[in-house]
Amino acid sequence: MSRNVQDEIKSMVEGNDVLLFMKGTPIFPQCGFSSVVAGVLGHLGVEYASVNVLEDMEVREGIKAYSDWPTIPQLYVKGEFVGGCDIIKEMFEEGELRPFLQDKGVLSADA
């Protein structure tokens, strides 16, 4: 039976309100960019699921094709690709990330 990685990724993205594809885990990120995004989400108090792409090379390459985005980490909110480290960091620094997450219903208005 052949594996359909794109279907697996789609299922993960659609099955989690907030999903971070990253290198490592939120507690033990294994690259600086993944660490930044996990840190921002943690700072904001966002509950999120994560996928360690280092554990599965097919997912690691498949997520790049799925999003048409060449780098990891990748953040998805309510099934929508938001961006990688630079975009998330910029949104946070510009004060845009918190309202975006609140509008999507994944962060309480008083957070």
Side-chain angles (χ1 to χ4, degrees), residues 44-47 98-99 101-111:
L44 292 174
V46 178
E47 290 186 27
R98 182 184 308 270
L101 295 169
Q102 289 170 334
D103 289 347
K104 291 290 187 178
V106 296
L107 189 62
S108 66
D110 56 355

Side-chain angles (χ1 to χ4, degrees), residues 10 27 32 40 46 60 85-86 97 101 110:
K10 183 175 193 259
I27 293 179
V40 165
V46 178
R60 182 177 181 172
C85 181
D86 291 344
L97 188 58
L101 295 169
D110 56 355

Side-chain angles (χ1 to χ4, degrees), residues 63-77:
I63 191 61
K64 295 173 186 179
Y66 182 84
S67 62
D68 197 25
W69 190 260
T71 59
I72 294 163
Q74 294 186 14
L75 182 65
Y76 291 80
V77 176

Side-chain angles (χ1 to χ4, degrees), residues 6-19 21 49 51 63 66 76-81:
Q6 293 301 307
D7 284 346
E8 289 178 32
I9 291 169
K10 183 175 193 259
S11 179
M12 287 187 268
V13 167
E14 291 176 352
N16 293 282
D17 284 347
V18 183
L19 180 61
F21 287 87
V51 176
I63 191 61
Y66 182 84
Y76 291 80
V77 176
K78 298 282 188 164
E80 173 188 343
F81 174 59

Side-chain angles (χ1 to χ4, degrees), residues 37 40-41 44 46 75 77 82 87-103 106-107:
V37 177
V40 165
L41 295 174
L44 292 174
V46 178
L75 182 65
V77 176
V82 180
I87 291 170
I88 301 307
K89 185 177 175 211
E90 182 178 320
M91 287 178 74
F92 176 72
E93 290 171 350
E94 298 293 323
E96 299 168 354
L97 188 58
R98 182 184 308 270
F100 171 80
L101 295 169
Q102 289 170 334
D103 289 347
V106 296
L107 189 62

Side-chain angles (χ1 to χ4, degrees), residues 52-69:
N52 180 357
V53 300
L54 298 177
E55 293 179 345
D56 190 328
M57 291 307 289
E58 288 184 73
V59 170
R60 182 177 181 172
E61 293 308 312
I63 191 61
K64 295 173 186 179
Y66 182 84
S67 62
D68 197 25
W69 190 260

